[in-house]
Amino acid sequence: MVSTESDHQQILCAYGGSEPKESAGIDNHILVDAGTVIFREGERGSSAFLIERGEVEISVRRNGEDVSLAHRGPGEVFGEMAIIDDQPRSATVTASQPCQLLMITRDQLVNRIEQTDPVLRMCLRVILQRFRTTLLRVQAMDHVDLPLRNDRGLEPDRGAQQYDEAVREIKLEEEIRHALRQEDFALYYQPIIDLHARSLAGFESLIRWRHKHRGMIAPDVFIPTAEASGLIVPISHWVFEEACQALVRLDQDMASLCGAHQPIFMSINLSVRDFANLECVDIVRGILDRTGVAPERLKIEITESLLMHQPEVAATALSEFKTMNISIAIDDFGTGYSSLSYLHKFPIDTLKIDRSFIRTLEKGNDNYEIVGTIINMADRLKMKVVAEGVEYAEQADLLRDLGCLYGQGYHYAKPAPERDIIPWLQQAQTSQGPL
Ligand code: G
Ligand code: G
Ligand code: MN
């Protein structure tokens, strides 16, 4: 059995590092009788406790009954979360024996951090800040994929759910960081077809994560975490560079396959978080210089909802891209916001009609009218239209009738790695091909 005194020192050192100072008011030893409730579930609190003598019981109230979760004894700590995250207590703690406790308040924790050496202080601040940001993000999420009951048959309490989510987020973030270092990301490319010329017009680049254990992971699984953590910035940098290099290689491959051809474009998905990075435009300029890709060959895709969330940030970066001659496309158009007023606020060239409108497209039905109206509107605003999710030849025919310029979807090709593009193109142009 380790002595209480040394444990106590260890805990304090973990918080602060140096010897306790009188000014930190550390000597908060308190004595409580058996049966005393030290704090209750749901209460706000700002103290953590180290048990010097005695034992406490941790319990939660479920369906009107107290359910015991655990006991803690000498050398153990309870209530530590309250001094970090300022959340309501997630359980009730009662002295099950007479106890001697050492109490540390949040203010005392802060004092101890202030007194410690600058490197440790900076690290602790960063860790706490990251933890709080993750927690806020987690609180804003839905807890859809969590089990309704834990293995004790209890409804999991919200604190535990948040903790699970926070841990999952932090792990995912670490894995993304690792994937970037290991170059475990790959770009896939999906053709965009000129519906009238029946020819290849360009590609959209779509990121994939080649995960060692989980196989190919789709972007919706990790892009939100990458955006929230800021890792999207180095990811997008990599995507941009890789897509531009691929375009240079594709030009060469296509020239040897079909001689002179219409220059194809490359569409690249960016997030508004990228635009908040002040160096974003310079990074893109650097990539264009290095790869020799002409800016008019590139389109930046940005979703309608992202654009609406941070219009000011987006406006500045988008107009700089526009000035450079890079085109801007609105992705998933029609699903985000009904307000059309933003269309003329941003330098938009292309609308990509969301695939939900194309899925049930039939001559004369509601979606037919909606898609037709979007195409007419885009025409009057001098914007181009891409129909997403074209899965059947009939849909392509209807879109052609409606005057839609471009189509993209499984009817032509699924997103595929670069090495599949030339074989696809050879096949697509034959009489059995989709063009
Ligand atoms: O290819 P898939 O349907 O799984 O892509 C899902 C979504 O992920 C796309 O709608 C796109 O908006 C997003 N996405 C794909 N690649 C990238 C990328 O390189 N960067 C960003 N920010 N988003 C991407
Ligand atoms: O949202 P964004 O347009 O960036 O993403 C395009 C994604 O849509 C691609 O990742 C691809 O997996 C998916 N996709 C592309 N074509 C089709 C299609 O014809 N049908 C369906 N269901 N999904 C498609
Ligand atoms: Mn897209």
Side-chain angles (χ1 to χ4, degrees):
M1 183 73 159
V2 277
S3 88
T4 310
E5 186 59 25
S6 78
D7 270 3
H8 156 187
Q9 274 315 327
Q10 267 176 9
I11 304 254
L12 294 178
C13 289
Y15 282 144
S18 57
E19 269 302 298
K21 275 201 186 163
E22 211 45 49
S23 65
I26 235 28
D27 283 346
N28 280 327
H29 299 277
I30 53 175
L31 294 170
V32 294
D33 294 332
T36 306
V37 174
I38 299 161
F39 56 74
R40 272 180 214 288
E41 184 180 355
E43 277 176 4
R44 289 220 168 249
S46 59
S47 309
F49 299 85
L50 171 76
I51 305 171
E52 294 179 316
R53 257 188 307 118
E55 190 191 72
V56 300
E57 181 180 45
I58 299 175
S59 64
V60 288
R61 193 132 183 105
R62 291 293 173 268
N63 303 324
E65 279 181 41
D66 289 325
V67 183
S68 175
L69 295 181
H71 286 84
R72 298 258 161 92
E76 292 186 297
V77 170
F78 62 92
E80 68 281 3
M81 291 305 284
I83 59 175
I84 294 172
D85 67 3
D86 195 25
Q87 293 295 305
R89 306 283 186 166
S90 61
T92 298
V93 178
T94 313
S96 42
Q97 295 171 3
C99 289
Q100 182 180 316
L101 306 173
L102 176 89
M103 187 169 87
I104 175 164
T105 66
R106 192 180 309 140
D107 288 346
Q108 289 165 341
L109 172 74
V110 171
N111 278 341
R112 298 198 139 251
I113 293 175
E114 291 307 325
Q115 287 166 24
T116 193
D117 81 85
V119 174
L120 192 57
R121 184 164 66 229
M122 179 192 68
C123 291
L124 286 170
R125 282 207 176 118
V126 170
I127 291 166
L128 289 176
Q129 186 54 38
R130 287 263 170 95
F131 172 81
R132 286 176 183 133
T133 315
T134 306
L135 202 74
L136 287 176
R137 208 190 307 150
V138 164
Q139 282 165 351
M141 280 185 201
D142 288 328
H143 303 287
V144 279
D145 57 354
L146 285 168
L148 285 174
R149 298 188 162 270
N150 62 21
D151 52 12
R152 313 156 88 122
L154 296 170
E155 290 290 328
D157 59 87
R158 222 176 130 63
Q161 281 186 2
Q162 288 173 355
Y163 181 76
D164 275 1
E165 283 288 355
V167 168
R168 215 176 296 171
E169 277 279 297
I170 289 167
K171 274 191 185 159
L172 184 58
E173 207 177 299
E174 270 319 301
E175 281 196 281
I176 296 173
R177 216 181 290 277
H178 184 75
L180 258 171
R181 279 197 300 267
Q182 298 295 118
E183 302 182 7
D184 286 341
F185 291 111
L187 271 195
Y188 274 29
Y189 301 91
Q190 188 176 35
I192 298 174
I193 305 301
D194 182 323
L195 292 170
H196 301 273
R198 293 176 189 265
S199 64
L200 176 69
F203 288 96
E204 176 178 1
S205 64
L206 293 152
I207 196 168
R208 299 289 182 266
W209 179 1
R210 276 181 269 130
H211 195 281
K212 267 186 272 311
H213 308 298
R214 288 190 278 161
M216 210 52 111
I217 303 182
D220 12 334
V221 177
F222 61 92
I223 292 288
T225 299
E227 282 174 347
S229 62
L231 287 170
I232 192 70
V233 172
I235 291 179
S236 296
H237 188 161
W238 176 83
V239 165
F240 224 101
E241 180 111 39
E242 182 67 21
C244 286
Q245 287 173 2
L247 186 57
V248 172
R249 291 189 293 260
L250 280 168
D251 276 346
Q252 291 164 356
D253 294 346
M254 285 179 64
S256 47
L257 180 73
C258 34
H261 60 90
Q262 283 289 325
I264 51 168
F265 62 81
M266 182 63 79
S267 247
I268 297 169
N269 292 283
L270 288 186
S271 87
V272 166
R273 187 70 161 73
D274 288 308
F275 298 166
N277 168 25
L278 297 174
E279 288 154 31
C280 175
V281 177
D282 289 336
I283 289 174
V284 168
R285 237 184 238 119
I287 294 173
L288 292 180
D289 283 349
R290 264 200 305 286
T291 55
V293 167
E296 46 287 355
R297 307 276 307 275
L298 299 181
K299 258 189 222 294
I300 286 173
E301 289 192 17
I302 177 121
T303 62
E304 196 179 11
S305 44
L306 283 179
L307 197 60
M308 294 307 295
H309 277 123
Q310 283 175 287
E312 309 82 20
V313 180
T316 318
L318 288 180
S319 45
E320 287 196 51
F321 284 127
K322 189 70 208 165
T323 312
M324 287 166 68
N325 265 335
I326 295 178
S327 318
I328 316 289
I330 300 300
D331 211 353
D332 306 336
F333 182 76
T335 55
Y337 286 78
S338 50
S339 160
L340 295 174
S341 63
Y342 74 89
L343 279 180
H344 65 259
K345 287 202 194 121
F346 301 103
I348 298 162
D349 314 272
T350 305
L351 300 180
K352 297 191 75 176
I353 304 179
D354 189 71
R355 61 170 171 266
S356 57
F357 295 99
I358 312 302
R359 194 165 45 230
T360 54
L361 187 70
E362 273 175 44
K363 185 135 193 147
N365 74 356
D366 282 355
N367 278 350
Y368 186 84
E369 298 305 331
I370 292 170
V371 170
T373 306
I374 295 175
I375 293 167
N376 290 340
M377 177 186 70
D379 229 24
R380 299 181 71 151
L381 293 170
K382 308 221 166 5
M383 293 176 188
K384 300 184 174 100
V385 172
V386 181
E388 299 182 318
V390 180
E391 297 191 359
Y392 303 102
E394 295 74 22
Q395 293 167 335
D397 291 337
L398 290 176
L399 289 161
R400 240 186 305 272
D401 293 346
L402 287 170
C404 184
L405 182 57
Y406 298 127
Q408 173 182 0
Y410 295 170
H411 171 55
Y412 300 106
K414 292 194 170 174
E418 190 181 334
R419 62 171 182 276
D420 291 357
I421 292 176
I422 293 297
W424 170 81
L425 195 57
Q426 287 171 317
Q427 198 274 332
Q429 288 170 330
T430 64
S431 54
Q432 294 89 23
L435 294 180

